[in-house]
Amino acid sequence: MTAYPAWTPASRPGIIPLHPLTFGTILGRSFSALRHNPRVLLGFALGVQTAAYVLVLLAVGGAAIASFTRLDTLRPGTDEFEAVMAGSIAITAITGLVLGLAAGALGVIVQAVVVTEVAHAAVAEKLTLRALWQQVKPVAWRLIGYAFLLSFAALLAIAIVAAVLFVIGVAALPLAIGLTVFVILAAIPLWLWLSTKLLLVGSTIILEHATIRGAIVRSWTLIRGRFWAALGVIVLISLVFGGISQVISIPFSFLTSGLTTIISPTGDPEPAAIIGILIAVVLTQIVTLLIQSVAVVVQATATALIYIDCRMRREGLDLDLLGYVERRDDGAVGLPDPYRQNIGRTIAPRAPAPAYGYPPPGYPPYAPGPSGPPPQHPATAPYPAQQYPAPRYPAPQDAPPSGYRDAPPFAAPQPPAPTRPVTAPAAATPPADEQPSSEHWTAPGTPAEPVDPDSPWS
């Protein structure tokens, strides 16, 4: 009996094709990835963002109320009143800064979970939140440390520039104003450039377990050749969600004004304040939190896809992912993480896809013309491409030499040489009664018939 191989189903498709991605693919899949695991992506992001916002709001509000209520017992204009006022402002600001950094740390954790989920979704795997956290947990403090380091560097740079401008302003105020405008305008492209060059630091720390310094070097290297595509994706996503926030905030502002006018037509401040707080603050902030949560997920997804695309182009990550998917679907267990294999590998640059109507790379060049067969690809040519010498035939004797210019292009035909006539042997002459008549002919083998001399056909 013949043993046939068992049927193996095709590999499950992930959220992206396993080959280098285009700009449109990265941008489109950044939004559509929400459908792959919405409970983990959107639900977790929305829960963390809401919890962080509520905690920061309550803590900052409580610190402000506790510190500023002391001013009610003091007389305005005194030194003690001014000291308490400055202390209250400082306490509120410090509380907001510390809690803001804590909320930023929670945001970093959300981005780490999203990046890990997208990396598994690329190979058609869906993990639970617990499993994702187990992968993020070993590098969580490293991510938070990088976020604090980046924030500290930005605040230090702002403080140094502000101090320099303040010193210049003491000496020459118009010059300081002009320099301030120039610094603000120059900071925008500088920030876009630095943020794009460091865009892949988080993904490198999460998926490769790299150190902070190693992740910065890796991000700086991987983004080469894809800088403008990455910048375009991030800027477009930011513009889209910024526009959505503005579009949504306009109806709420009109609704607040309309309800305030209807409920309090006389301008009584108490109902107007209540309506403004309930609608403008509560409802608007709820919608804003939802938009911010979606924006965080989409931006983190785009960052993960850009990281995967850069590694596909520079290190052939798509080959590792395809091999991993094939072995996993064949039933293999305990496979190594494909994202931590062949880190830093260098492959030959890949040629872009050929345009329609032109031969792809590898085809021999040819001049278009009416004659000659079309060229064949070297891989499909029937014979090896070898150069054979052209055959040489002896020139005719009557042809003029190659340098003779007065000879006609074609030689006149020469008359044939006279030849001796050949005499055929004489054939035997049949008797007179057996010779055929010129008037009557009979096909060979036909019986002879008497001829009627009076017939019109004889």
Side-chain angles (χ1 to χ4, degrees):
M1 297 178 64
T2 303
Y4 293 97
W7 176 79
T8 303
S11 300
R12 293 170 292 173
I15 61 172
I16 58 171
L18 296 181
H19 58 72
L21 309 177
T22 60
F23 177 86
T25 301
I26 296 175
L27 186 61
R29 299 302 169 89
S30 300
F31 289 88
S32 62
L34 285 170
R35 299 177 299 178
H36 182 262
N37 199 352
R39 180 180 299 178
V40 171
L41 294 180
L42 187 57
F44 177 69
L46 181 60
V48 172
Q49 293 284 341
T50 303
Y53 181 81
V54 171
L55 289 177
V56 170
L57 184 63
L58 293 178
V60 173
I65 292 173
S67 59
F68 282 99
T69 51
R70 295 180 56 191
L71 297 175
D72 297 335
T73 60
L74 301 175
R75 188 173 60 184
T78 60
D79 295 339
E80 187 177 0
F81 182 88
E82 298 295 335
V84 173
M85 174 66 75
S88 301
I89 294 174
I91 291 174
T92 305
I94 293 174
T95 304
L97 178 61
V98 172
L99 294 178
L101 292 176
L106 291 177
V108 170
I109 298 300
V110 171
Q111 295 177 9
V113 171
V114 172
V115 169
T116 308
E117 164 61 23
V118 171
H120 285 278
V123 291
E125 293 178 351
K126 182 184 292 186
L127 303 183
T128 61
L129 182 59
R130 182 184 298 273
L132 293 174
W133 170 246
Q134 291 300 323
Q135 297 189 12
V136 174
K137 184 178 179 180
V139 295
W141 289 108
R142 203 175 302 171
L143 288 169
I144 295 174
Y146 169 72
F148 284 166
L149 179 63
L150 192 62
S151 301
F152 176 76
L155 291 176
L156 182 62
I158 293 173
I160 292 175
V161 173
V164 172
L165 292 175
F166 177 78
V167 172
I168 296 176
V170 173
L173 183 58
L175 179 60
I177 296 175
L179 288 177
T180 302
V181 175
F182 174 77
V183 167
I184 293 174
L185 295 178
I188 297 175
L190 179 61
W191 173 254
L192 291 176
W193 179 72
L194 285 176
S195 60
T196 305
K197 297 293 286 187
L198 301 176
L199 181 65
L200 306 182
V201 173
S203 300
T204 305
I205 294 176
I206 297 164
L207 300 179
E208 301 178 13
H209 290 193
T211 61
I212 294 178
R213 182 180 179 278
I216 293 174
V217 175
R218 283 279 292 165
S219 176
W220 209 276
T221 303
L222 287 176
I223 206 66
R224 292 175 184 172
R226 299 295 290 169
F227 176 86
W228 294 109
L231 178 62
V233 169
I234 299 302
V235 170
L236 280 178
I237 291 176
S238 301
L239 292 177
V240 166
F241 283 100
I244 292 175
S245 300
Q246 293 297 325
V247 170
I248 291 179
S249 63
I250 292 175
F252 279 100
S253 62
F254 282 115
L255 181 62
T256 303
S257 301
L259 290 178
T260 303
T261 304
I262 294 173
I263 296 176
S264 179
T266 59
D268 190 3
E270 294 183 0
I274 295 175
I275 295 300
I277 291 175
L278 291 178
I279 295 179
V281 176
V282 178
L283 296 180
T284 305
Q285 292 303 318
I286 290 175
V287 177
T288 303
L289 281 175
L290 179 60
I291 296 174
Q292 289 179 353
S293 301
V294 177
V296 168
V297 173
V298 173
Q299 289 180 348
T301 303
T303 302
L305 295 182
I306 293 171
Y307 166 82
I308 295 174
D309 174 63
C310 291
R311 284 200 62 185
M312 284 180 178
R313 295 176 181 272
R314 295 184 64 89
E315 302 176 359
L317 178 63
D318 51 340
L319 306 179
D320 299 331
L321 296 180
L322 287 170
Y324 172 82
V325 170
E326 291 177 358
R327 293 194 298 270
R328 181 201 62 195
D329 293 346
D330 287 341
V333 295
L335 295 175
D337 187 357
Y339 294 99
R340 301 184 66 181
Q341 303 294 319
N342 301 318
I343 297 175
R345 177 177 60 186
T346 304
I347 62 173
R350 305 185 184 187
Y356 179 78
Y358 294 91
Y363 279 72
Y366 69 96
S371 62
Q376 294 181 346
H377 194 277
T380 60
Y383 300 100
Q386 300 181 3
Q387 298 293 334
Y388 295 98
R392 298 182 179 180
Y393 300 98
Q397 297 297 330
D398 54 350
S402 58
Y404 188 71
R405 298 179 179 275
D406 296 335
F410 299 98
Q414 301 293 333
T419 57
R420 177 180 296 181
V422 179
T423 304
T429 305
D433 56 352
E434 296 181 6
Q435 292 182 359
S437 174
S438 60
E439 297 179 357
H440 302 281
W441 180 83
T442 304
T446 305
E449 295 181 359
V451 178
D452 187 4
D454 297 333
S455 174
W457 304 101
S458 60

mmCIF file of all heavy atoms in Angstrom, residues 331-362:
data_model
loop_
_atom_site.group_PDB
_atom_site.id
_atom_site.type_symbol
_atom_site.label_atom_id
_atom_site.label_comp_id
_atom_site.label_asym_id
_atom_site.label_seq_id
_atom_site.Cartn_x
_atom_site.Cartn_y
_atom_site.Cartn_z
ATOM 1 N N GLY A 331 3.342 21.575 14.693
ATOM 2 C CA GLY A 331 3.220 20.917 15.989
ATOM 3 C C GLY A 331 4.426 21.035 16.883
ATOM 4 O O GLY A 331 4.440 20.425 17.969
ATOM 5 N N ALA A 332 5.434 21.798 16.492
ATOM 6 C CA ALA A 332 6.626 21.935 17.327
ATOM 7 C C ALA A 332 6.307 22.783 18.554
ATOM 8 O O ALA A 332 5.507 23.727 18.493
ATOM 9 C CB ALA A 332 7.764 22.564 16.526
ATOM 10 N N VAL A 333 6.916 22.456 19.670
ATOM 11 C CA VAL A 333 6.713 23.171 20.928
ATOM 12 C C VAL A 333 8.068 23.626 21.439
ATOM 13 O O VAL A 333 9.118 23.100 21.064
ATOM 14 C CB VAL A 333 5.999 22.283 21.972
ATOM 15 C CG1 VAL A 333 4.594 21.945 21.516
ATOM 16 C CG2 VAL A 333 6.788 21.002 22.231
ATOM 17 N N GLY A 334 8.023 24.623 22.331
ATOM 18 C CA GLY A 334 9.265 25.125 22.908
ATOM 19 C C GLY A 334 10.134 25.880 21.917
ATOM 20 O O GLY A 334 11.371 25.853 22.033
ATOM 21 N N LEU A 335 9.517 26.536 20.953
ATOM 22 C CA LEU A 335 10.293 27.267 19.938
ATOM 23 C C LEU A 335 10.873 28.538 20.540
ATOM 24 O O LEU A 335 10.248 29.199 21.375
ATOM 25 C CB LEU A 335 9.398 27.621 18.751
ATOM 26 C CG LEU A 335 8.850 26.434 17.945
ATOM 27 C CD1 LEU A 335 7.886 26.924 16.879
ATOM 28 C CD2 LEU A 335 9.992 25.655 17.306
ATOM 29 N N PRO A 336 12.063 28.934 20.127
ATOM 30 C CA PRO A 336 12.641 30.186 20.642
ATOM 31 C C PRO A 336 11.905 31.399 20.089
ATOM 32 O O PRO A 336 11.241 31.332 19.049
ATOM 33 C CB PRO A 336 14.097 30.132 20.143
ATOM 34 C CG PRO A 336 14.049 29.254 18.936
ATOM 35 C CD PRO A 336 12.982 28.241 19.198
ATOM 36 N N ASP A 337 12.022 32.488 20.802
ATOM 37 C CA ASP A 337 11.373 33.726 20.392
ATOM 38 C C ASP A 337 12.012 34.228 19.106
ATOM 39 O O ASP A 337 13.222 34.493 19.069
ATOM 40 C CB ASP A 337 11.520 34.773 21.500
ATOM 41 C CG ASP A 337 10.714 36.034 21.220
ATOM 42 O OD1 ASP A 337 10.090 36.118 20.147
ATOM 43 O OD2 ASP A 337 10.706 36.930 22.084
ATOM 44 N N PRO A 338 11.252 34.356 18.002
ATOM 45 C CA PRO A 338 11.878 34.796 16.744
ATOM 46 C C PRO A 338 12.397 36.224 16.804
ATOM 47 O O PRO A 338 13.302 36.582 16.040
ATOM 48 C CB PRO A 338 10.760 34.640 15.709
ATOM 49 C CG PRO A 338 9.498 34.727 16.507
ATOM 50 C CD PRO A 338 9.808 34.104 17.842
ATOM 51 N N TYR A 339 11.833 37.050 17.692
ATOM 52 C CA TYR A 339 12.289 38.438 17.773
ATOM 53 C C TYR A 339 13.630 38.570 18.490
ATOM 54 O O TYR A 339 14.255 39.628 18.406
ATOM 55 C CB TYR A 339 11.236 39.288 18.486
ATOM 56 C CG TYR A 339 9.957 39.419 17.716
ATOM 57 C CD1 TYR A 339 8.861 38.618 18.008
ATOM 58 C CD2 TYR A 339 9.829 40.346 16.681
ATOM 59 C CE1 TYR A 339 7.681 38.737 17.296
ATOM 60 C CE2 TYR A 339 8.658 40.466 15.970
ATOM 61 C CZ TYR A 339 7.582 39.653 16.284
ATOM 62 O OH TYR A 339 6.406 39.767 15.566
ATOM 63 N N ARG A 340 14.060 37.538 19.184
ATOM 64 C CA ARG A 340 15.339 37.577 19.864
ATOM 65 C C ARG A 340 16.398 36.740 19.166
ATOM 66 O O ARG A 340 17.465 36.489 19.717
ATOM 67 C CB ARG A 340 15.163 37.088 21.310
ATOM 68 C CG ARG A 340 14.175 37.925 22.111
ATOM 69 C CD ARG A 340 14.090 37.488 23.557
ATOM 70 N NE ARG A 340 15.339 37.722 24.246
ATOM 71 C CZ ARG A 340 15.550 37.416 25.534
ATOM 72 N NH1 ARG A 340 14.561 36.855 26.242
ATOM 73 N NH2 ARG A 340 16.707 37.654 26.097
ATOM 74 N N GLN A 341 16.090 36.305 17.937
ATOM 75 C CA GLN A 341 17.034 35.547 17.139
ATOM 76 C C GLN A 341 17.633 36.440 16.051
ATOM 77 O O GLN A 341 16.957 37.301 15.488
ATOM 78 C CB GLN A 341 16.331 34.342 16.481
ATOM 79 C CG GLN A 341 15.651 33.407 17.477
ATOM 80 C CD GLN A 341 16.637 32.711 18.383
ATOM 81 O OE1 GLN A 341 17.693 32.270 17.950
ATOM 82 N NE2 GLN A 341 16.296 32.608 19.664
ATOM 83 N N ASN A 342 18.909 36.200 15.756
ATOM 84 C CA ASN A 342 19.609 36.895 14.662
ATOM 85 C C ASN A 342 19.534 38.418 14.797
ATOM 86 O O ASN A 342 19.318 39.139 13.818
ATOM 87 C CB ASN A 342 19.042 36.463 13.309
ATOM 88 C CG ASN A 342 19.167 34.974 13.071
ATOM 89 O OD1 ASN A 342 20.188 34.373 13.371
ATOM 90 N ND2 ASN A 342 18.117 34.357 12.537
ATOM 91 N N ILE A 343 19.691 38.912 16.006
ATOM 92 C CA ILE A 343 19.689 40.356 16.238
ATOM 93 C C ILE A 343 20.981 40.949 15.684
ATOM 94 O O ILE A 343 22.078 40.473 15.991
ATOM 95 C CB ILE A 343 19.550 40.667 17.736
ATOM 96 C CG1 ILE A 343 18.202 40.156 18.260
ATOM 97 C CG2 ILE A 343 19.694 42.158 18.007
ATOM 98 C CD1 ILE A 343 18.022 40.310 19.755
ATOM 99 N N GLY A 344 20.853 41.961 14.863
ATOM 100 C CA GLY A 344 22.028 42.593 14.267
ATOM 101 C C GLY A 344 22.518 41.934 13.004
ATOM 102 O O GLY A 344 23.567 42.339 12.471
ATOM 103 N N ARG A 345 21.793 40.930 12.494
ATOM 104 C CA ARG A 345 22.216 40.275 11.261
ATOM 105 C C ARG A 345 22.100 41.248 10.092
ATOM 106 O O ARG A 345 21.176 42.062 10.016
ATOM 107 C CB ARG A 345 21.348 39.045 11.009
ATOM 108 C CG ARG A 345 21.646 38.315 9.695
ATOM 109 C CD ARG A 345 20.780 37.071 9.571
ATOM 110 N NE ARG A 345 19.366 37.398 9.597
ATOM 111 C CZ ARG A 345 18.401 36.472 9.620
ATOM 112 N NH1 ARG A 345 18.714 35.189 9.651
ATOM 113 N NH2 ARG A 345 17.140 36.844 9.637
ATOM 114 N N THR A 346 23.023 41.149 9.163
ATOM 115 C CA THR A 346 23.032 42.023 7.983
ATOM 116 C C THR A 346 22.735 41.181 6.754
ATOM 117 O O THR A 346 23.361 40.143 6.545
ATOM 118 C CB THR A 346 24.386 42.722 7.828
ATOM 119 O OG1 THR A 346 24.679 43.448 9.028
ATOM 120 C CG2 THR A 346 24.365 43.681 6.648
ATOM 121 N N ILE A 347 21.773 41.620 5.957
ATOM 122 C CA ILE A 347 21.438 40.941 4.712
ATOM 123 C C ILE A 347 21.629 41.907 3.562
ATOM 124 O O ILE A 347 21.755 43.118 3.748
ATOM 125 C CB ILE A 347 19.989 40.414 4.728
ATOM 126 C CG1 ILE A 347 19.006 41.574 4.862
ATOM 127 C CG2 ILE A 347 19.795 39.408 5.852
ATOM 128 C CD1 ILE A 347 17.549 41.148 4.712
ATOM 129 N N ALA A 348 21.662 41.360 2.363
ATOM 130 C CA ALA A 348 21.801 42.194 1.174
ATOM 131 C C ALA A 348 20.558 43.039 0.995
ATOM 132 O O ALA A 348 19.446 42.595 1.293
ATOM 133 C CB ALA A 348 22.027 41.325 -0.067
ATOM 134 N N PRO A 349 20.705 44.270 0.518
ATOM 135 C CA PRO A 349 19.521 45.112 0.299
ATOM 136 C C PRO A 349 18.600 44.510 -0.734
ATOM 137 O O PRO A 349 19.048 43.940 -1.729
ATOM 138 C CB PRO A 349 20.118 46.453 -0.163
ATOM 139 C CG PRO A 349 21.480 46.114 -0.665
ATOM 140 C CD PRO A 349 21.956 44.949 0.146
ATOM 141 N N ARG A 350 17.325 44.643 -0.496
ATOM 142 C CA ARG A 350 16.326 44.071 -1.390
ATOM 143 C C ARG A 350 15.918 45.076 -2.436
ATOM 144 O O ARG A 350 15.697 46.241 -2.139
ATOM 145 C CB ARG A 350 15.101 43.615 -0.593
ATOM 146 C CG ARG A 350 15.451 42.655 0.534
ATOM 147 C CD ARG A 350 14.214 42.130 1.210
ATOM 148 N NE ARG A 350 14.562 41.284 2.331
ATOM 149 C CZ ARG A 350 13.679 40.568 3.028
ATOM 150 N NH1 ARG A 350 12.397 40.642 2.718
ATOM 151 N NH2 ARG A 350 14.069 39.822 4.029
ATOM 152 N N ALA A 351 15.827 44.587 -3.688
ATOM 153 C CA ALA A 351 15.438 45.464 -4.781
ATOM 154 C C ALA A 351 13.944 45.725 -4.714
ATOM 155 O O ALA A 351 13.166 44.850 -4.327
ATOM 156 C CB ALA A 351 15.796 44.850 -6.131
ATOM 157 N N PRO A 352 13.496 46.931 -5.085
ATOM 158 C CA PRO A 352 12.052 47.203 -5.090
ATOM 159 C C PRO A 352 11.346 46.424 -6.174
ATOM 160 O O PRO A 352 11.964 45.912 -7.109
ATOM 161 C CB PRO A 352 11.993 48.718 -5.339
ATOM 162 C CG PRO A 352 13.263 49.035 -6.047
ATOM 163 C CD PRO A 352 14.299 48.089 -5.497
ATOM 164 N N ALA A 353 10.053 46.310 -6.053
ATOM 165 C CA ALA A 353 9.247 45.598 -7.040
ATOM 166 C C ALA A 353 9.311 46.312 -8.373
ATOM 167 O O ALA A 353 9.274 47.537 -8.450
ATOM 168 C CB ALA A 353 7.797 45.497 -6.564
ATOM 169 N N PRO A 354 9.434 45.573 -9.514
ATOM 170 C CA PRO A 354 9.557 46.222 -10.820
ATOM 171 C C PRO A 354 8.263 46.876 -11.238
ATOM 172 O O PRO A 354 7.172 46.438 -10.880
ATOM 173 C CB PRO A 354 9.925 45.063 -11.746
ATOM 174 C CG PRO A 354 9.348 43.861 -11.082
ATOM 175 C CD PRO A 354 9.463 44.106 -9.606
ATOM 176 N N ALA A 355 8.388 47.956 -11.981
ATOM 177 C CA ALA A 355 7.217 48.638 -12.532
ATOM 178 C C ALA A 355 6.662 47.846 -13.699
ATOM 179 O O ALA A 355 7.365 47.093 -14.367
ATOM 180 C CB ALA A 355 7.589 50.057 -12.965
ATOM 181 N N TYR A 356 5.389 48.033 -13.974
ATOM 182 C CA TYR A 356 4.742 47.292 -15.047
ATOM 183 C C TYR A 356 5.310 47.729 -16.392
ATOM 184 O O TYR A 356 5.464 48.914 -16.668
ATOM 185 C CB TYR A 356 3.236 47.555 -15.026
ATOM 186 C CG TYR A 356 2.482 46.850 -16.134
ATOM 187 C CD1 TYR A 356 2.201 45.497 -16.039
ATOM 188 C CD2 TYR A 356 2.088 47.538 -17.263
ATOM 189 C CE1 TYR A 356 1.517 44.843 -17.035
ATOM 190 C CE2 TYR A 356 1.400 46.897 -18.276
ATOM 191 C CZ TYR A 356 1.122 45.548 -18.156
ATOM 192 O OH TYR A 356 0.448 44.905 -19.154
ATOM 193 N N GLY A 357 5.641 46.749 -17.222
ATOM 194 C CA GLY A 357 6.158 47.058 -18.558
ATOM 195 C C GLY A 357 7.662 47.106 -18.644
ATOM 196 O O GLY A 357 8.199 47.324 -19.711
ATOM 197 N N TYR A 358 8.365 46.887 -17.561
ATOM 198 C CA TYR A 358 9.818 46.915 -17.578
ATOM 199 C C TYR A 358 10.333 45.584 -17.043
ATOM 200 O O TYR A 358 9.720 44.980 -16.153
ATOM 201 C CB TYR A 358 10.356 48.059 -16.719
ATOM 202 C CG TYR A 358 10.013 49.410 -17.277
ATOM 203 C CD1 TYR A 358 8.844 50.053 -16.891
ATOM 204 C CD2 TYR A 358 10.830 50.035 -18.200
ATOM 205 C CE1 TYR A 358 8.511 51.294 -17.406
ATOM 206 C CE2 TYR A 358 10.516 51.266 -18.716
ATOM 207 C CZ TYR A 358 9.355 51.896 -18.321
ATOM 208 O OH TYR A 358 9.033 53.122 -18.833
ATOM 209 N N PRO A 359 11.473 45.117 -17.531
ATOM 210 C CA PRO A 359 11.987 43.845 -17.029
ATOM 211 C C PRO A 359 12.452 43.977 -15.593
ATOM 212 O O PRO A 359 13.030 44.991 -15.219
ATOM 213 C CB PRO A 359 13.151 43.548 -17.979
ATOM 214 C CG PRO A 359 13.570 44.884 -18.493
ATOM 215 C CD PRO A 359 12.317 45.700 -18.567
ATOM 216 N N PRO A 360 12.203 42.986 -14.754
ATOM 217 C CA PRO A 360 12.667 43.054 -13.366
ATOM 218 C C PRO A 360 14.164 42.925 -13.280
ATOM 219 O O PRO A 360 14.831 42.564 -14.252
ATOM 220 C CB PRO A 360 11.958 41.864 -12.711
ATOM 221 C CG PRO A 360 11.695 40.924 -13.834
ATOM 222 C CD PRO A 360 11.457 41.776 -15.043
ATOM 223 N N PRO A 361 14.747 43.225 -12.123
ATOM 224 C CA PRO A 361 16.195 43.107 -11.973
ATOM 225 C C PRO A 361 16.643 41.682 -12.227
ATOM 226 O O PRO A 361 16.030 40.714 -11.787
ATOM 227 C CB PRO A 361 16.425 43.521 -10.504
ATOM 228 C CG PRO A 361 15.243 44.341 -10.153
ATOM 229 C CD PRO A 361 14.111 43.792 -10.938
ATOM 230 N N GLY A 362 17.730 41.507 -12.955
ATOM 231 C CA GLY A 362 18.242 40.192 -13.305
ATOM 232 C C GLY A 362 18.026 39.833 -14.751
ATOM 233 O O GLY A 362 18.670 38.931 -15.276
#
